């Protein structure tokens, strides 16, 4: 099953890859809207989950996001490479994107996933349930015990930040920074390998 998934990722064209990425996020947003309509009494109740003027957005969300990236970067340097292998999806998504496109992807993913998993599911069903569902939808991580453990811990951490702040703006920024910075690192690493390859051939 793992090899089949990896082969499937390799066979996708750039257009197909982006189509599936954006379609997945759209579906998550639609599910969030449907569940939110059912679970919240009115839109105002949902809107109150956001507070962009809260100092914690930058202080807690920003710092927590950077800390996650720093820890992840250190682990990738000291642990065997196969522990971080997700079938090549993250590399395919980010390695050839412009910095602006990486920011757009990170923004869409962080917005749709945080609204559904923290804003709707965690608000009504609790941290544990939302973290389990969050890990489950990251299908590619189910084939790698380390990545699965990684995403579960990350989900609990983001969920805990939401529990503490009760502010969805904080976790959206945190999630955005994690995806954006890791996406940038994949792009920069890819560019470096390409330059090294050209130098060798010259």
């Amino acid at each position: 099953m793992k090899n089949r998934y990896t082969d499937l990722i390799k066979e996708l064209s750039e257009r197909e890859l982006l189509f599936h990425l954006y379609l997945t996020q759209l579906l998550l947003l639609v599910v969030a809207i449907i569940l939110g309509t059912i679970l919240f009494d009115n839109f105002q109740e949902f809107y109150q989950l956001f507070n962009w003027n809260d100092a914690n957005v930058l202080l807690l969300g920003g710092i927590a996001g950077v800390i996650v990236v720093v820890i992840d970067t250190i682990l990738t340097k000291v642990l065997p490479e196969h522990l971080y292998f997700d079938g090549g999806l993250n590399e395919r998504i980010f390695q050839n994107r412009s910095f602006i496109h990486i920011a757009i992807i990170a923004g869409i993913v962080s917005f749709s996933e945080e609204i559904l998993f923290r804003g709707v599911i965690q608000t009504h069903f609790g941290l544990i349930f939302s973290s389990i569902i969050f890990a489950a939808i990251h299908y590619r991580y189910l084939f790698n015990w380390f990545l699965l453990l990684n995403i579960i811990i990350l989900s609990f951490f983001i969920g805990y930040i939401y529990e503490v702040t009760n502010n969805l703006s904080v976790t959206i920024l945190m999630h955005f920074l994690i995806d954006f910075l890791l996406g940038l690192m994949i792009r920069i690493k890819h560019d470096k390998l390409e330059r090294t390859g050209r130098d060798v051939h010259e």
Side-chain angles (χ1 to χ4, degrees), residues 116-150:
L116 175 59
F117 296 106
R118 253 59 68 174
V120 176
I121 296 178
Q122 183 171 332
T123 297
H124 291 90
F125 301 104
L127 172 59
I128 295 176
F129 185 71
S130 67
S131 297
I132 292 172
I133 300 299
F134 181 80
I137 66 119
H138 290 79
Y139 176 76
R140 64 191 184 277
Y141 296 150
L142 301 181
F143 303 120
N144 183 323
W145 69 267
F146 178 75
L147 287 180
L148 180 60
L149 179 63
N150 201 315

PDB file of all heavy atoms in Angstrom, residues 116-150:
ATOM      1  N   LEU A 116     -12.048  24.041  10.327  1.00  0.00           N
ATOM      2  CA  LEU A 116     -12.738  22.765  10.538  1.00  0.00           C
ATOM      3  C   LEU A 116     -12.306  22.094  11.839  1.00  0.00           C
ATOM      4  O   LEU A 116     -13.155  21.771  12.680  1.00  0.00           O
ATOM      5  CB  LEU A 116     -12.475  21.826   9.362  1.00  0.00           C
ATOM      6  CG  LEU A 116     -13.053  20.408   9.511  1.00  0.00           C
ATOM      7  CD1 LEU A 116     -14.563  20.445   9.702  1.00  0.00           C
ATOM      8  CD2 LEU A 116     -12.680  19.549   8.315  1.00  0.00           C
ATOM      9  N   PHE A 117     -11.005  21.881  12.012  1.00  0.00           N
ATOM     10  CA  PHE A 117     -10.545  21.036  13.114  1.00  0.00           C
ATOM     11  C   PHE A 117     -10.528  21.735  14.468  1.00  0.00           C
ATOM     12  O   PHE A 117     -10.871  21.130  15.479  1.00  0.00           O
ATOM     13  CB  PHE A 117      -9.166  20.449  12.786  1.00  0.00           C
ATOM     14  CG  PHE A 117      -9.201  19.544  11.601  1.00  0.00           C
ATOM     15  CD1 PHE A 117      -8.697  19.930  10.383  1.00  0.00           C
ATOM     16  CD2 PHE A 117      -9.803  18.297  11.692  1.00  0.00           C
ATOM     17  CE1 PHE A 117      -8.759  19.104   9.277  1.00  0.00           C
ATOM     18  CE2 PHE A 117      -9.878  17.453  10.598  1.00  0.00           C
ATOM     19  CZ  PHE A 117      -9.352  17.860   9.382  1.00  0.00           C
ATOM     20  N   ARG A 118     -10.122  22.994  14.505  1.00  0.00           N
ATOM     21  CA  ARG A 118     -10.137  23.699  15.778  1.00  0.00           C
ATOM     22  C   ARG A 118     -11.449  24.474  15.957  1.00  0.00           C
ATOM     23  O   ARG A 118     -12.115  24.367  16.985  1.00  0.00           O
ATOM     24  CB  ARG A 118      -8.934  24.646  15.869  1.00  0.00           C
ATOM     25  CG  ARG A 118      -7.845  24.208  16.808  1.00  0.00           C
ATOM     26  CD  ARG A 118      -7.236  22.853  16.468  1.00  0.00           C
ATOM     27  NE  ARG A 118      -6.476  22.866  15.225  1.00  0.00           N
ATOM     28  CZ  ARG A 118      -5.763  21.831  14.774  1.00  0.00           C
ATOM     29  NH1 ARG A 118      -5.725  20.695  15.465  1.00  0.00           N
ATOM     30  NH2 ARG A 118      -5.103  21.909  13.643  1.00  0.00           N
ATOM     31  N   GLY A 119     -11.833  25.244  14.950  1.00  0.00           N
ATOM     32  CA  GLY A 119     -12.996  26.107  15.089  1.00  0.00           C
ATOM     33  C   GLY A 119     -14.309  25.362  15.249  1.00  0.00           C
ATOM     34  O   GLY A 119     -15.138  25.733  16.075  1.00  0.00           O
ATOM     35  N   VAL A 120     -14.495  24.297  14.455  1.00  0.00           N
ATOM     36  CA  VAL A 120     -15.767  23.567  14.513  1.00  0.00           C
ATOM     37  C   VAL A 120     -15.659  22.317  15.383  1.00  0.00           C
ATOM     38  O   VAL A 120     -16.384  22.168  16.373  1.00  0.00           O
ATOM     39  CB  VAL A 120     -16.245  23.180  13.092  1.00  0.00           C
ATOM     40  CG1 VAL A 120     -17.517  22.334  13.178  1.00  0.00           C
ATOM     41  CG2 VAL A 120     -16.492  24.429  12.255  1.00  0.00           C
ATOM     42  N   ILE A 121     -14.737  21.401  15.028  1.00  0.00           N
ATOM     43  CA  ILE A 121     -14.690  20.104  15.716  1.00  0.00           C
ATOM     44  C   ILE A 121     -14.198  20.239  17.161  1.00  0.00           C
ATOM     45  O   ILE A 121     -14.844  19.734  18.084  1.00  0.00           O
ATOM     46  CB  ILE A 121     -13.803  19.108  14.932  1.00  0.00           C
ATOM     47  CG1 ILE A 121     -14.427  18.827  13.557  1.00  0.00           C
ATOM     48  CG2 ILE A 121     -13.652  17.801  15.723  1.00  0.00           C
ATOM     49  CD1 ILE A 121     -13.614  17.903  12.682  1.00  0.00           C
ATOM     50  N   GLN A 122     -13.071  20.917  17.373  1.00  0.00           N
ATOM     51  CA  GLN A 122     -12.565  21.012  18.747  1.00  0.00           C
ATOM     52  C   GLN A 122     -13.496  21.835  19.630  1.00  0.00           C
ATOM     53  O   GLN A 122     -13.689  21.504  20.808  1.00  0.00           O
ATOM     54  CB  GLN A 122     -11.159  21.618  18.761  1.00  0.00           C
ATOM     55  CG  GLN A 122     -10.556  21.674  20.170  1.00  0.00           C
ATOM     56  CD  GLN A 122      -9.100  22.074  20.167  1.00  0.00           C
ATOM     57  OE1 GLN A 122      -8.375  21.836  19.199  1.00  0.00           O
ATOM     58  NE2 GLN A 122      -8.641  22.694  21.237  1.00  0.00           N
ATOM     59  N   THR A 123     -14.076  22.880  19.083  1.00  0.00           N
ATOM     60  CA  THR A 123     -14.990  23.713  19.869  1.00  0.00           C
ATOM     61  C   THR A 123     -16.170  22.908  20.403  1.00  0.00           C
ATOM     62  O   THR A 123     -16.623  23.124  21.530  1.00  0.00           O
ATOM     63  CB  THR A 123     -15.503  24.891  19.014  1.00  0.00           C
ATOM     64  OG1 THR A 123     -14.397  25.717  18.657  1.00  0.00           O
ATOM     65  CG2 THR A 123     -16.530  25.716  19.780  1.00  0.00           C
ATOM     66  N   HIS A 124     -16.641  21.935  19.622  1.00  0.00           N
ATOM     67  CA  HIS A 124     -17.840  21.187  20.016  1.00  0.00           C
ATOM     68  C   HIS A 124     -17.568  19.775  20.525  1.00  0.00           C
ATOM     69  O   HIS A 124     -18.378  19.225  21.275  1.00  0.00           O
ATOM     70  CB  HIS A 124     -18.814  21.113  18.837  1.00  0.00           C
ATOM     71  CG  HIS A 124     -19.428  22.431  18.495  1.00  0.00           C
ATOM     72  ND1 HIS A 124     -18.862  23.292  17.585  1.00  0.00           N
ATOM     73  CD2 HIS A 124     -20.544  23.057  18.960  1.00  0.00           C
ATOM     74  CE1 HIS A 124     -19.605  24.378  17.504  1.00  0.00           C
ATOM     75  NE2 HIS A 124     -20.632  24.264  18.322  1.00  0.00           N
ATOM     76  N   PHE A 125     -16.435  19.180  20.132  1.00  0.00           N
ATOM     77  CA  PHE A 125     -16.186  17.782  20.517  1.00  0.00           C
ATOM     78  C   PHE A 125     -14.884  17.572  21.287  1.00  0.00           C
ATOM     79  O   PHE A 125     -14.589  16.456  21.702  1.00  0.00           O
ATOM     80  CB  PHE A 125     -16.186  16.891  19.269  1.00  0.00           C
ATOM     81  CG  PHE A 125     -17.473  16.943  18.501  1.00  0.00           C
ATOM     82  CD1 PHE A 125     -17.559  17.666  17.327  1.00  0.00           C
ATOM     83  CD2 PHE A 125     -18.604  16.294  18.968  1.00  0.00           C
ATOM     84  CE1 PHE A 125     -18.745  17.737  16.607  1.00  0.00           C
ATOM     85  CE2 PHE A 125     -19.796  16.341  18.265  1.00  0.00           C
ATOM     86  CZ  PHE A 125     -19.873  17.073  17.082  1.00  0.00           C
ATOM     87  N   GLY A 126     -14.107  18.633  21.480  1.00  0.00           N
ATOM     88  CA  GLY A 126     -12.932  18.532  22.327  1.00  0.00           C
ATOM     89  C   GLY A 126     -11.619  18.296  21.595  1.00  0.00           C
ATOM     90  O   GLY A 126     -11.587  17.944  20.406  1.00  0.00           O
ATOM     91  N   LEU A 127     -10.546  18.498  22.338  1.00  0.00           N
ATOM     92  CA  LEU A 127      -9.178  18.433  21.808  1.00  0.00           C
ATOM     93  C   LEU A 127      -8.806  17.050  21.293  1.00  0.00           C
ATOM     94  O   LEU A 127      -8.227  16.912  20.210  1.00  0.00           O
ATOM     95  CB  LEU A 127      -8.199  18.875  22.904  1.00  0.00           C
ATOM     96  CG  LEU A 127      -6.705  18.712  22.629  1.00  0.00           C
ATOM     97  CD1 LEU A 127      -6.297  19.501  21.397  1.00  0.00           C
ATOM     98  CD2 LEU A 127      -5.896  19.164  23.840  1.00  0.00           C
ATOM     99  N   ILE A 128      -9.111  16.015  22.065  1.00  0.00           N
ATOM    100  CA  ILE A 128      -8.693  14.656  21.691  1.00  0.00           C
ATOM    101  C   ILE A 128      -9.327  14.224  20.374  1.00  0.00           C
ATOM    102  O   ILE A 128      -8.649  13.748  19.459  1.00  0.00           O
ATOM    103  CB  ILE A 128      -9.027  13.652  22.813  1.00  0.00           C
ATOM    104  CG1 ILE A 128      -8.202  13.962  24.063  1.00  0.00           C
ATOM    105  CG2 ILE A 128      -8.769  12.221  22.344  1.00  0.00           C
ATOM    106  CD1 ILE A 128      -8.531  13.087  25.259  1.00  0.00           C
ATOM    107  N   PHE A 129     -10.635  14.407  20.253  1.00  0.00           N
ATOM    108  CA  PHE A 129     -11.341  13.980  19.046  1.00  0.00           C
ATOM    109  C   PHE A 129     -10.843  14.736  17.819  1.00  0.00           C
ATOM    110  O   PHE A 129     -10.602  14.150  16.761  1.00  0.00           O
ATOM    111  CB  PHE A 129     -12.843  14.180  19.217  1.00  0.00           C
ATOM    112  CG  PHE A 129     -13.660  13.660  18.070  1.00  0.00           C
ATOM    113  CD1 PHE A 129     -13.802  12.294  17.865  1.00  0.00           C
ATOM    114  CD2 PHE A 129     -14.278  14.543  17.188  1.00  0.00           C
ATOM    115  CE1 PHE A 129     -14.555  11.811  16.805  1.00  0.00           C
ATOM    116  CE2 PHE A 129     -15.032  14.070  16.129  1.00  0.00           C
ATOM    117  CZ  PHE A 129     -15.162  12.696  15.934  1.00  0.00           C
ATOM    118  N   SER A 130     -10.676  16.057  17.958  1.00  0.00           N
ATOM    119  CA  SER A 130     -10.234  16.863  16.808  1.00  0.00           C
ATOM    120  C   SER A 130      -8.814  16.486  16.390  1.00  0.00           C
ATOM    121  O   SER A 130      -8.501  16.457  15.198  1.00  0.00           O
ATOM    122  CB  SER A 130     -10.297  18.359  17.141  1.00  0.00           C
ATOM    123  OG  SER A 130      -9.352  18.705  18.140  1.00  0.00           O
ATOM    124  N   SER A 131      -7.954  16.159  17.358  1.00  0.00           N
ATOM    125  CA  SER A 131      -6.569  15.789  17.049  1.00  0.00           C
ATOM    126  C   SER A 131      -6.502  14.449  16.324  1.00  0.00           C
ATOM    127  O   SER A 131      -5.702  14.272  15.398  1.00  0.00           O
ATOM    128  CB  SER A 131      -5.745  15.719  18.338  1.00  0.00           C
ATOM    129  OG  SER A 131      -5.679  16.983  18.956  1.00  0.00           O
ATOM    130  N   ILE A 132      -7.342  13.516  16.732  1.00  0.00           N
ATOM    131  CA  ILE A 132      -7.379  12.205  16.068  1.00  0.00           C
ATOM    132  C   ILE A 132      -7.864  12.346  14.624  1.00  0.00           C
ATOM    133  O   ILE A 132      -7.276  11.775  13.696  1.00  0.00           O
ATOM    134  CB  ILE A 132      -8.291  11.233  16.848  1.00  0.00           C
ATOM    135  CG1 ILE A 132      -7.652  10.894  18.196  1.00  0.00           C
ATOM    136  CG2 ILE A 132      -8.537   9.956  16.034  1.00  0.00           C
ATOM    137  CD1 ILE A 132      -8.545  10.095  19.111  1.00  0.00           C
ATOM    138  N   ILE A 133      -8.915  13.125  14.426  1.00  0.00           N
ATOM    139  CA  ILE A 133      -9.444  13.334  13.075  1.00  0.00           C
ATOM    140  C   ILE A 133      -8.427  14.078  12.215  1.00  0.00           C
ATOM    141  O   ILE A 133      -8.231  13.761  11.032  1.00  0.00           O
ATOM    142  CB  ILE A 133     -10.778  14.114  13.110  1.00  0.00           C
ATOM    143  CG1 ILE A 133     -11.828  13.346  13.918  1.00  0.00           C
ATOM    144  CG2 ILE A 133     -11.280  14.380  11.708  1.00  0.00           C
ATOM    145  CD1 ILE A 133     -12.172  11.984  13.345  1.00  0.00           C
ATOM    146  N   PHE A 134      -7.765  15.065  12.794  1.00  0.00           N
ATOM    147  CA  PHE A 134      -6.747  15.835  12.073  1.00  0.00           C
ATOM    148  C   PHE A 134      -5.627  14.918  11.588  1.00  0.00           C
ATOM    149  O   PHE A 134      -5.178  15.013  10.448  1.00  0.00           O
ATOM    150  CB  PHE A 134      -6.171  16.924  12.989  1.00  0.00           C
ATOM    151  CG  PHE A 134      -5.141  17.794  12.337  1.00  0.00           C
ATOM    152  CD1 PHE A 134      -5.526  18.836  11.493  1.00  0.00           C
ATOM    153  CD2 PHE A 134      -3.787  17.596  12.560  1.00  0.00           C
ATOM    154  CE1 PHE A 134      -4.574  19.654  10.893  1.00  0.00           C
ATOM    155  CE2 PHE A 134      -2.829  18.403  11.961  1.00  0.00           C
ATOM    156  CZ  PHE A 134      -3.230  19.437  11.127  1.00  0.00           C
ATOM    157  N   ALA A 135      -5.173  14.017  12.454  1.00  0.00           N
ATOM    158  CA  ALA A 135      -4.115  13.074  12.076  1.00  0.00           C
ATOM    159  C   ALA A 135      -4.609  12.113  11.008  1.00  0.00           C
ATOM    160  O   ALA A 135      -3.880  11.770  10.068  1.00  0.00           O
ATOM    161  CB  ALA A 135      -3.641  12.312  13.309  1.00  0.00           C
ATOM    162  N   ALA A 136      -5.859  11.678  11.122  1.00  0.00           N
ATOM    163  CA  ALA A 136      -6.410  10.685  10.195  1.00  0.00           C
ATOM    164  C   ALA A 136      -6.517  11.214   8.775  1.00  0.00           C
ATOM    165  O   ALA A 136      -6.320  10.465   7.810  1.00  0.00           O
ATOM    166  CB  ALA A 136      -7.777  10.211  10.686  1.00  0.00           C
ATOM    167  N   ILE A 137      -6.828  12.515   8.615  1.00  0.00           N
ATOM    168  CA  ILE A 137      -6.987  13.035   7.251  1.00  0.00           C
ATOM    169  C   ILE A 137      -5.641  13.243   6.560  1.00  0.00           C
ATOM    170  O   ILE A 137      -5.586  13.388   5.343  1.00  0.00           O
ATOM    171  CB  ILE A 137      -7.800  14.350   7.217  1.00  0.00           C
ATOM    172  CG1 ILE A 137      -7.052  15.481   7.898  1.00  0.00           C
ATOM    173  CG2 ILE A 137      -9.172  14.154   7.785  1.00  0.00           C
ATOM    174  CD1 ILE A 137      -6.762  16.618   6.976  1.00  0.00           C
ATOM    175  N   HIS A 138      -4.564  13.254   7.329  1.00  0.00           N
ATOM    176  CA  HIS A 138      -3.231  13.305   6.726  1.00  0.00           C
ATOM    177  C   HIS A 138      -2.819  11.873   6.367  1.00  0.00           C
ATOM    178  O   HIS A 138      -1.932  11.278   6.981  1.00  0.00           O
ATOM    179  CB  HIS A 138      -2.228  13.969   7.667  1.00  0.00           C
ATOM    180  CG  HIS A 138      -2.463  15.441   7.816  1.00  0.00           C
ATOM    181  ND1 HIS A 138      -3.453  15.961   8.626  1.00  0.00           N
ATOM    182  CD2 HIS A 138      -1.856  16.507   7.234  1.00  0.00           C
ATOM    183  CE1 HIS A 138      -3.426  17.287   8.544  1.00  0.00           C
ATOM    184  NE2 HIS A 138      -2.478  17.638   7.705  1.00  0.00           N
ATOM    185  N   TYR A 139      -3.503  11.354   5.367  1.00  0.00           N
ATOM    186  CA  TYR A 139      -3.453   9.942   4.985  1.00  0.00           C
ATOM    187  C   TYR A 139      -2.034   9.429   4.761  1.00  0.00           C
ATOM    188  O   TYR A 139      -1.689   8.323   5.181  1.00  0.00           O
ATOM    189  CB  TYR A 139      -4.293   9.770   3.710  1.00  0.00           C
ATOM    190  CG  TYR A 139      -4.273   8.382   3.119  1.00  0.00           C
ATOM    191  CD1 TYR A 139      -5.012   7.357   3.708  1.00  0.00           C
ATOM    192  CD2 TYR A 139      -3.536   8.105   1.971  1.00  0.00           C
ATOM    193  CE1 TYR A 139      -5.014   6.083   3.170  1.00  0.00           C
ATOM    194  CE2 TYR A 139      -3.530   6.839   1.428  1.00  0.00           C
ATOM    195  CZ  TYR A 139      -4.267   5.831   2.023  1.00  0.00           C
ATOM    196  OH  TYR A 139      -4.255   4.576   1.486  1.00  0.00           O
ATOM    197  N   ARG A 140      -1.206  10.246   4.133  1.00  0.00           N
ATOM    198  CA  ARG A 140       0.147   9.783   3.783  1.00  0.00           C
ATOM    199  C   ARG A 140       0.999   9.478   5.006  1.00  0.00           C
ATOM    200  O   ARG A 140       1.955   8.710   4.920  1.00  0.00           O
ATOM    201  CB  ARG A 140       0.833  10.818   2.896  1.00  0.00           C
ATOM    202  CG  ARG A 140       1.087  12.169   3.576  1.00  0.00           C
ATOM    203  CD  ARG A 140       1.519  13.199   2.539  1.00  0.00           C
ATOM    204  NE  ARG A 140       1.864  14.482   3.103  1.00  0.00           N
ATOM    205  CZ  ARG A 140       0.986  15.421   3.414  1.00  0.00           C
ATOM    206  NH1 ARG A 140      -0.309  15.182   3.255  1.00  0.00           N
ATOM    207  NH2 ARG A 140       1.365  16.585   3.896  1.00  0.00           N
ATOM    208  N   TYR A 141       0.663  10.056   6.156  1.00  0.00           N
ATOM    209  CA  TYR A 141       1.451   9.827   7.360  1.00  0.00           C
ATOM    210  C   TYR A 141       1.124   8.500   8.035  1.00  0.00           C
ATOM    211  O   TYR A 141       1.856   8.054   8.918  1.00  0.00           O
ATOM    212  CB  TYR A 141       1.247  10.962   8.360  1.00  0.00           C
ATOM    213  CG  TYR A 141       1.733  12.312   7.866  1.00  0.00           C
ATOM    214  CD1 TYR A 141       1.129  13.486   8.288  1.00  0.00           C
ATOM    215  CD2 TYR A 141       2.789  12.407   6.969  1.00  0.00           C
ATOM    216  CE1 TYR A 141       1.574  14.722   7.826  1.00  0.00           C
ATOM    217  CE2 TYR A 141       3.231  13.633   6.506  1.00  0.00           C
ATOM    218  CZ  TYR A 141       2.623  14.790   6.941  1.00  0.00           C
ATOM    219  OH  TYR A 141       3.060  16.001   6.482  1.00  0.00           O
ATOM    220  N   LEU A 142       0.031   7.881   7.631  1.00  0.00           N
ATOM    221  CA  LEU A 142      -0.380   6.627   8.262  1.00  0.00           C
ATOM    222  C   LEU A 142       0.573   5.482   7.929  1.00  0.00           C
ATOM    223  O   LEU A 142       0.569   4.459   8.603  1.00  0.00           O
ATOM    224  CB  LEU A 142      -1.807   6.255   7.819  1.00  0.00           C
ATOM    225  CG  LEU A 142      -2.898   7.287   8.146  1.00  0.00           C
ATOM    226  CD1 LEU A 142      -4.255   6.775   7.669  1.00  0.00           C
ATOM    227  CD2 LEU A 142      -2.949   7.583   9.642  1.00  0.00           C
ATOM    228  N   PHE A 143       1.397   5.652   6.881  1.00  0.00           N
ATOM    229  CA  PHE A 143       2.331   4.606   6.474  1.00  0.00           C
ATOM    230  C   PHE A 143       3.686   4.719   7.187  1.00  0.00           C
ATOM    231  O   PHE A 143       4.556   3.886   6.978  1.00  0.00           O
ATOM    232  CB  PHE A 143       2.561   4.659   4.959  1.00  0.00           C
ATOM    233  CG  PHE A 143       1.296   4.527   4.165  1.00  0.00           C
ATOM    234  CD1 PHE A 143       0.889   5.537   3.304  1.00  0.00           C
ATOM    235  CD2 PHE A 143       0.502   3.396   4.283  1.00  0.00           C
ATOM    236  CE1 PHE A 143      -0.282   5.413   2.567  1.00  0.00           C
ATOM    237  CE2 PHE A 143      -0.667   3.266   3.542  1.00  0.00           C
ATOM    238  CZ  PHE A 143      -1.056   4.272   2.693  1.00  0.00           C
ATOM    239  N   ASN A 144       3.855   5.772   7.969  1.00  0.00           N
ATOM    240  CA  ASN A 144       5.144   6.024   8.608  1.00  0.00           C
ATOM    241  C   ASN A 144       4.878   6.352  10.083  1.00  0.00           C
ATOM    242  O   ASN A 144       4.325   7.407  10.400  1.00  0.00           O
ATOM    243  CB  ASN A 144       5.842   7.197   7.896  1.00  0.00           C
ATOM    244  CG  ASN A 144       7.224   7.492   8.452  1.00  0.00           C
ATOM    245  OD1 ASN A 144       7.463   7.404   9.651  1.00  0.00           O
ATOM    246  ND2 ASN A 144       8.148   7.865   7.569  1.00  0.00           N
ATOM    247  N   TRP A 145       5.290   5.436  10.988  1.00  0.00           N
ATOM    248  CA  TRP A 145       4.960   5.602  12.401  1.00  0.00           C
ATOM    249  C   TRP A 145       5.504   6.914  12.975  1.00  0.00           C
ATOM    250  O   TRP A 145       4.854   7.558  13.803  1.00  0.00           O
ATOM    251  CB  TRP A 145       5.496   4.427  13.220  1.00  0.00           C
ATOM    252  CG  TRP A 145       6.998   4.378  13.327  1.00  0.00           C
ATOM    253  CD1 TRP A 145       7.866   3.712  12.526  1.00  0.00           C
ATOM    254  CD2 TRP A 145       7.802   5.065  14.308  1.00  0.00           C
ATOM    255  NE1 TRP A 145       9.166   3.938  12.925  1.00  0.00           N
ATOM    256  CE2 TRP A 145       9.156   4.754  14.019  1.00  0.00           C
ATOM    257  CE3 TRP A 145       7.506   5.907  15.388  1.00  0.00           C
ATOM    258  CZ2 TRP A 145      10.215   5.256  14.769  1.00  0.00           C
ATOM    259  CZ3 TRP A 145       8.563   6.413  16.146  1.00  0.00           C
ATOM    260  CH2 TRP A 145       9.899   6.070  15.840  1.00  0.00           C
ATOM    261  N   PHE A 146       6.676   7.336  12.505  1.00  0.00           N
ATOM    262  CA  PHE A 146       7.282   8.550  13.041  1.00  0.00           C
ATOM    263  C   PHE A 146       6.486   9.780  12.620  1.00  0.00           C
ATOM    264  O   PHE A 146       6.201  10.660  13.441  1.00  0.00           O
ATOM    265  CB  PHE A 146       8.727   8.681  12.578  1.00  0.00           C
ATOM    266  CG  PHE A 146       9.400   9.939  13.062  1.00  0.00           C
ATOM    267  CD1 PHE A 146       9.809  10.054  14.379  1.00  0.00           C
ATOM    268  CD2 PHE A 146       9.590  11.014  12.201  1.00  0.00           C
ATOM    269  CE1 PHE A 146      10.413  11.222  14.835  1.00  0.00           C
ATOM    270  CE2 PHE A 146      10.185  12.180  12.650  1.00  0.00           C
ATOM    271  CZ  PHE A 146      10.595  12.284  13.968  1.00  0.00           C
ATOM    272  N   LEU A 147       6.108   9.837  11.330  1.00  0.00           N
ATOM    273  CA  LEU A 147       5.324  10.972  10.852  1.00  0.00           C
ATOM    274  C   LEU A 147       3.938  10.986  11.473  1.00  0.00           C
ATOM    275  O   LEU A 147       3.387  12.058  11.754  1.00  0.00           O
ATOM    276  CB  LEU A 147       5.224  10.933   9.326  1.00  0.00           C
ATOM    277  CG  LEU A 147       6.495  11.286   8.554  1.00  0.00           C
ATOM    278  CD1 LEU A 147       6.251  11.196   7.059  1.00  0.00           C
ATOM    279  CD2 LEU A 147       7.001  12.677   8.929  1.00  0.00           C
ATOM    280  N   LEU A 148       3.373   9.803  11.703  1.00  0.00           N
ATOM    281  CA  LEU A 148       2.072   9.724  12.358  1.00  0.00           C
ATOM    282  C   LEU A 148       2.154  10.271  13.777  1.00  0.00           C
ATOM    283  O   LEU A 148       1.310  11.069  14.202  1.00  0.00           O
ATOM    284  CB  LEU A 148       1.579   8.273  12.374  1.00  0.00           C
ATOM    285  CG  LEU A 148       0.217   8.037  13.039  1.00  0.00           C
ATOM    286  CD1 LEU A 148      -0.873   8.833  12.340  1.00  0.00           C
ATOM    287  CD2 LEU A 148      -0.118   6.552  13.044  1.00  0.00           C
ATOM    288  N   LEU A 149       3.179   9.847  14.510  1.00  0.00           N
ATOM    289  CA  LEU A 149       3.392  10.356  15.868  1.00  0.00           C
ATOM    290  C   LEU A 149       3.624  11.864  15.831  1.00  0.00           C
ATOM    291  O   LEU A 149       3.089  12.614  16.656  1.00  0.00           O
ATOM    292  CB  LEU A 149       4.592   9.649  16.504  1.00  0.00           C
ATOM    293  CG  LEU A 149       4.974  10.086  17.920  1.00  0.00           C
ATOM    294  CD1 LEU A 149       3.849   9.774  18.901  1.00  0.00           C
ATOM    295  CD2 LEU A 149       6.263   9.389  18.361  1.00  0.00           C
ATOM    296  N   ASN A 150       4.381  12.296  14.849  1.00  0.00           N
ATOM    297  CA  ASN A 150       4.699  13.710  14.666  1.00  0.00           C
ATOM    298  C   ASN A 150       3.440  14.541  14.475  1.00  0.00           C
ATOM    299  O   ASN A 150       3.246  15.578  15.131  1.00  0.00           O
ATOM    300  CB  ASN A 150       5.621  13.839  13.435  1.00  0.00           C
ATOM    301  CG  ASN A 150       6.411  15.129  13.437  1.00  0.00           C
ATOM    302  OD1 ASN A 150       5.864  16.178  13.698  1.00  0.00           O
ATOM    303  ND2 ASN A 150       7.687  15.029  13.131  1.00  0.00           N
TER     304      ASN A 150
END
